[in-house]
Amino acid sequence: MDNSLNSVTEQAAALAQSGTTSSELVEKALDQFRSSQHLNAFVALNEKAVRRQAEQSDERRKKGRGLSPVDGIPIAVKDNYWTLDHPTTACSGAVPKIPEGQDATIVRNLREAGAVIFGKTNMHEWAYGATNTGSSIGPTRHPLDPNHITGGSSGGSALAVADGVVGAALGSDTGGSVRIPSAACGIVGYKPSYGRASRYGVLPLSWSLDAPGLLTRDVKDLLLLAPYLLGADPQDPSTFSARRFDPESTARGKKVLALTGPYLERRADVEDVIQGARERLGRDFDWNTVQMETMEPYFAAWEAILHSEASSYHQHLLQEKPDGFGDVTIAHLVAGNQLSAVEYLHAQKIRQQFMGILTVLFEKADILALPTLPVTAPGQDEVWQEFDGRRVTTQDSMTWFCWMGNLAGLPSITVPAGLAENGFPVGLMMMAKPGEDEYLLQTALQVQTVLQQSVVSEFA
Amino acid sequence: MDNSLNSVTEQAAALAQSGTTSSELVEKALDQFRSSQHLNAFVALNEKAVRRQAEQSDERRKKGRGLSPVDGIPIAVKDNYWTLDHPTTACSGAVPKIPEGQDATIVRNLREAGAVIFGKTNMHEWAYGATNTGSSIGPTRHPLDPNHITGGSSGGSALAVADGVVGAALGSDTGGSVRIPSAACGIVGYKPSYGRASRYGVLPLSWSLDAPGLLTRDVKDLLLLAPYLLGADPQDPSTFSARRFDPESTARGKKVLALTGPYLERRADVEDVIQGARERLGRDFDWNTVQMETMEPYFAAWEAILHSEASSYHQHLLQEKPDGFGDVTIAHLVAGNQLSAVEYLHAQKIRQQFMGILTVLFEKADILALPTLPVTAPGQDEVWQEFDGRRVTTQDSMTWFCWMGNLAGLPSITVPAGLAENGFPVGLMMMAKPGEDEYLLQTALQVQTVLQQSVVSEFA
């Protein structure tokens, strides 16, 4: 990978100082796109539209009329967002025709800021899976080893960033779909608080769990892009009381609580990396561990809500185009149809109990911490994962910790914590109270700074 | 009926001027209670506790330490509210043991204001029915003719007020249970906006539809009591953003929209009374009629949500004490268990569509108006009602218009509009936008004033 000008922050600085042009950034991105096509990050890329956007940006900047710090920066978009210049398929053969012609709210926000909308990324069909192996155009492949998965469902977005095509990509996250591939590929992934970012124009999976999100190489990039992500949108009722991103907000609180216990197991090599990060962060953070009772009922509640809402959303499509869905997706949808209203409502009650548990935890801590994944990026053909006495499907291993942030609507982020013995990246996940996105991002920036410095000093 | 000092407003004025005592009011209420026991308004009445509260109130007032304008005023409570001095049974043989010892939040608010909690009123079992014929202690009986029903499920509360035992009673309303018996018995009934009044300590029927409510003889009584009903309660999460009652709020807007169309039919004699009221109100209000498309899908959505949530709530009790429930309640609960999660979620989507329709209507009007019931109080044994070409169960006829206020969370009120040709009362229902409770109550007061004056002038 070519690491020059790869982060959004670096690109923005270079553009501001006329050290590069949007067209140069875009040509470099197109080169990288072509050289990494075997990894299968993109499902659609309208080169003409991309180049035109870059030229228009360069025109603006030449006249001193740049629209924002991100004017001219290429950003990739997951294929479940509507886009003006690309069709939307959610990487499913069953998708209804969604032609180009309209932007999702977040895409429009970025476009109005001058960002170059750089193609649509590969994803797990309908975002209904966390491995990214179930896609109409085939799986995404890990940049370190194509025989390993990237994780998903925003696998193409993670890959496009990790592989240096773009500095940022949009994703969506219902049980970890932004954070999972970010952690597996060694980049940063951020899921905002539920209801703080518009889902208008993003195909739903499970509307009470879904959040849009951003994948970048650096937490600083998130701080630069968050203003286009957060805030109320009249077209998404869940955002009615959403605050805009507040750049003046200053981080406070240094209490981190790491969670362990049944249904929170992880592989020893992953835990070693987290413990190493904890030691390096120990000077700046007051870090404690809490032994939880089993997470099983809450994990099951998340699954019941996910399957009920997904089957509800896909009800008509399943009748009209049953052959368009992949086998596993069909199985999920049929199973979801068997859930009763009473079971769904029971799951929502369990969800309320989980909120109560979190309220108690957040009285003791500002941040809840976990590995983002209990394992490193699995092999493409691995069906099962084993860790610390637990044997679960690779699918379940991907969402093993991430579902919490969706069930409770917490802002959540993964930052690279280091490499496991096998050379694959491990992510550290941090979650804050609902609405505390600014605090989470600023804390993540401190964490990133410490961990990067310590990497430098280890190798110095 | 003895009409002297029957309204809360009259009682408050007399107490303030030392024209009566709480003990006198309570003895009068106990006399009336005894003389009307055949109507079956009460399920429990702890005379000793009632007298002691009155004596304590008189002590306070004697020392000039009255707690509030309602200190010393007897108020009856529906048997699904927890009460410090009476057990709670929801008039069901299946109720778990809920002994005296704790007040629901609203009961506590009233008690802290010095009100005398005057016994528990008869209700339809678990509030799961609108006729009040299904009660563990037998049906309530209409004060004009014991062979007619009062409507329900707050039938005992309506009867206690209409029959002059108390000036006010607490009820609950999931599809009209406050407004239905109020209209049928010729009194005033008020259901607040969803989430503006605490349900803590009120046994749930369907938590996304349930509201507590008040039944009185006069809209002025509601203005006096609303401060104890409305406002946030940490123990009911649905009230987190609830505003307190604002007595300074002044009514504005005079546009009334009367709704007609399929599934909004009513009997001709009922419509005659409403038209008469409309003529008398015509000088003060800009009154128009709108022809709606069928209400059938929205009525069905309300029913699906009601049955799903009720079956969810009663799931364990149905397994533990199946013999305790009445036959019809069992049938409802078993039917609710058959609804799928996808059906429930579909109903919630239909609910959102209904909200959209209301948004359009409220752009044209400040108040939506309907008869509260399509018929007058039916006979105890009538299973079917026929009106304007529609044949429905007596149960469905009771909720025919009222469900809208619950599905959409609107503040809703019924005020007496006059008597039908058969001599039974007809209520006028008015609904305002969510949160506009003050406006609704003040408008209802104007309506009441006009209708009362016109009654006086007709008979002058």
Side-chain angles (χ1 to χ4, degrees), chain A residues 131 378-385 391-397:
Chain A
T131 57
Q380 291 280 355
D381 299 325
E382 286 177 23
V383 176
W384 296 97
Q385 299 295 313
R391 183 169 186 260
V392 304
T393 60
T394 298
Q395 160 67 28
D396 279 354
S397 76

Side-chain angles (χ1 to χ4, degrees), chain A residues 16-251:
Chain A
Q17 296 154 16
S18 303
T20 189
T21 63
S22 178
S23 294
E24 281 174 14
L25 291 177
V26 157
E27 290 308 324
K28 184 168 156 296
L30 287 169
D31 285 348
Q32 183 65 15
F33 159 72
R34 275 184 289 266
S35 74
S36 65
Q37 262 187 303
H38 61 291
L39 300 178
N40 212 13
F42 285 84
V43 55
L45 180 55
N46 180 340
E47 295 197 17
K48 205 172 143 189
V50 168
R51 288 201 169 98
R52 193 175 54 236
Q53 290 173 70
E55 287 157 17
Q56 289 167 347
S57 172
D58 288 333
E59 288 285 318
R60 286 192 295 268
R61 290 221 183 236
K62 222 186 291 176
K63 294 179 188 157
R65 291 188 192 152
L67 295 168
S68 80
V70 301
D71 193 340
I73 293 177
I75 293 177
V77 177
K78 188 176 181 178
D79 197 34
N80 57 350
Y81 284 70
W82 297 346
T83 37
L84 193 60
D85 32 30
H86 292 83
T88 301
T89 74
C91 289
S92 172
V95 92
K97 277 203 181 100
I98 305 172
E100 54 270 38
Q102 195 178 356
D103 276 343
T105 295
I106 292 176
V107 175
R108 197 195 59 215
N109 292 346
L110 287 166
R111 201 188 290 276
E112 288 177 357
V116 174
I117 303 306
F118 189 90
K120 303 296 280 286
T121 59
N122 192 358
M123 60 183 282
H124 202 111
E125 179 178 24
W126 279 109
Y128 208 168
T131 57
N132 230 90
T133 52
S135 159
S136 59
I137 61 160
T140 46
R141 298 188 173 277
H142 199 282
L144 291 180
D145 181 345
N147 293 320
H148 283 248
I149 67 173
T150 59
S153 63
S154 312
S157 286
L159 187 47
V161 173
D163 203 40
V165 179
V166 288
L170 289 172
S172 65
D173 190 312
T174 306
S177 279
V178 160
R179 293 161 284 159
I180 292 161
S182 298
C185 295
I187 63 166
V188 173
Y190 159 54
K191 179 200 91 67
S193 299
Y194 182 84
R196 226 184 137 179
S198 170
R199 284 108 39 111
Y200 180 72
V202 187
L203 298 181
L205 173 58
S206 173
W207 55 84
S208 80
L209 301 167
D210 290 346
L214 267 169
L215 302 90
T216 62
R217 301 176 74 84
D218 194 301
V219 178
K220 286 202 279 291
D221 302 349
L222 295 177
L223 289 160
L224 204 57
L225 292 167
Y228 311 106
L229 196 66
L230 304 184
D233 176 11
Q235 296 192 276
D236 180 351
S238 74
T239 65
F240 276 177
S241 60
R243 286 179 297 110
R244 294 196 62 75
F245 178 69
D246 176 12
E248 303 300 312
S249 150
T250 50

Side-chain angles (χ1 to χ4, degrees), chain B residues 168-457:
Chain B
L170 289 172
S172 65
D173 190 313
T174 306
S177 281
V178 159
R179 293 160 285 160
I180 292 161
S182 298
C185 295
I187 63 167
V188 173
Y190 160 54
K191 179 199 92 65
S193 300
Y194 181 83
R196 229 187 133 177
S198 170
R199 285 110 35 113
Y200 181 71
V202 187
L203 298 181
L205 174 57
S206 173
W207 55 84
S208 82
L209 301 167
D210 291 344
L214 267 169
L215 303 89
T216 63
R217 301 176 75 86
D218 194 302
V219 178
K220 287 202 280 290
D221 301 349
L222 294 177
L223 290 161
L224 204 56
L225 292 167
Y228 311 107
L229 196 66
L230 304 183
D233 175 11
Q235 295 192 278
D236 180 352
S238 74
T239 66
F240 275 175
S241 61
R243 287 180 297 111
R244 295 198 61 77
F245 178 70
D246 175 11
E248 303 301 313
S249 149
T250 52
R252 71 211 171 283
K254 298 287 186 185
K255 283 192 267 181
V256 178
L257 207 50
L259 310 184
T260 62
Y263 274 69
L264 293 174
E265 301 88 349
R266 69 284 318 246
R267 218 167 58 199
D269 59 338
V270 168
E271 181 63 11
D272 284 349
V273 175
I274 299 295
Q275 287 302 322
R278 175 177 176 162
E279 280 164 27
R280 284 172 277 158
L281 292 165
R283 211 173 40 195
D284 295 303
F285 291 89
D286 170 17
W287 192 301
N288 289 288
T289 301
V290 63
Q291 171 81 21
M292 304 293 293
E293 291 192 31
T294 181
M295 287 288 123
E296 188 175 14
Y298 313 113
F299 186 56
W302 167 75
E303 284 198 307
I305 292 166
L306 167 63
H307 294 319
S308 298
E309 295 184 354
S311 291
S312 169
Y313 176 70
H314 289 97
Q315 197 176 10
H316 295 296
L317 205 53
L318 183 61
Q319 282 160 8
E320 282 169 25
K321 290 196 174 190
D323 300 338
F325 291 100
D327 291 345
V328 176
T329 307
I330 290 259
H332 282 325
L333 293 174
V334 169
N337 276 329
Q338 305 309 312
L339 285 159
S340 77
V342 168
E343 285 164 330
Y344 173 79
L345 292 168
H346 184 66
Q348 292 284 18
K349 283 182 208 166
I350 302 285
R351 183 182 205 169
Q352 288 308 314
Q353 291 172 14
F354 184 63
M355 302 300 231
I357 290 173
L358 288 179
T359 301
V360 173
L361 291 177
F362 278 121
E363 281 168 8
K364 297 177 195 160
D366 309 297
I367 294 279
L368 304 181
L370 283 157
T372 309
L373 299 171
V375 294
T376 55
Q380 292 279 354
D381 299 325
E382 287 176 22
V383 175
W384 296 96
Q385 299 294 313
E386 294 201 31
F387 44 88
D388 197 18
R390 186 70 68 184
R391 183 170 185 261
V392 303
T393 60
T394 298
Q395 160 67 29
D396 279 354
S397 76
M398 295 290 99
T399 58
W400 198 243
F401 304 122
C402 286
W403 60 268
M404 285 184 214
N406 303 85
L407 193 66
L410 310 179
S412 309
I413 194 168
T414 178
V415 295
L419 301 180
E421 281 170 12
N422 62 11
F424 279 89
V426 169
L428 169 65
M429 181 161 68
M430 294 178 285
M431 303 183 286
K433 276 179 245 179
E436 295 201 337
D437 296 71
E438 287 85 351
Y439 167 68
L440 180 73
L441 292 175
Q442 290 175 0
T443 304
L445 182 58
Q446 295 172 32
V447 165
Q448 174 186 272
T449 304
V450 172
L451 295 181
Q452 279 176 346
Q453 280 171 349
S454 57
V455 170
V456 170
S457 64

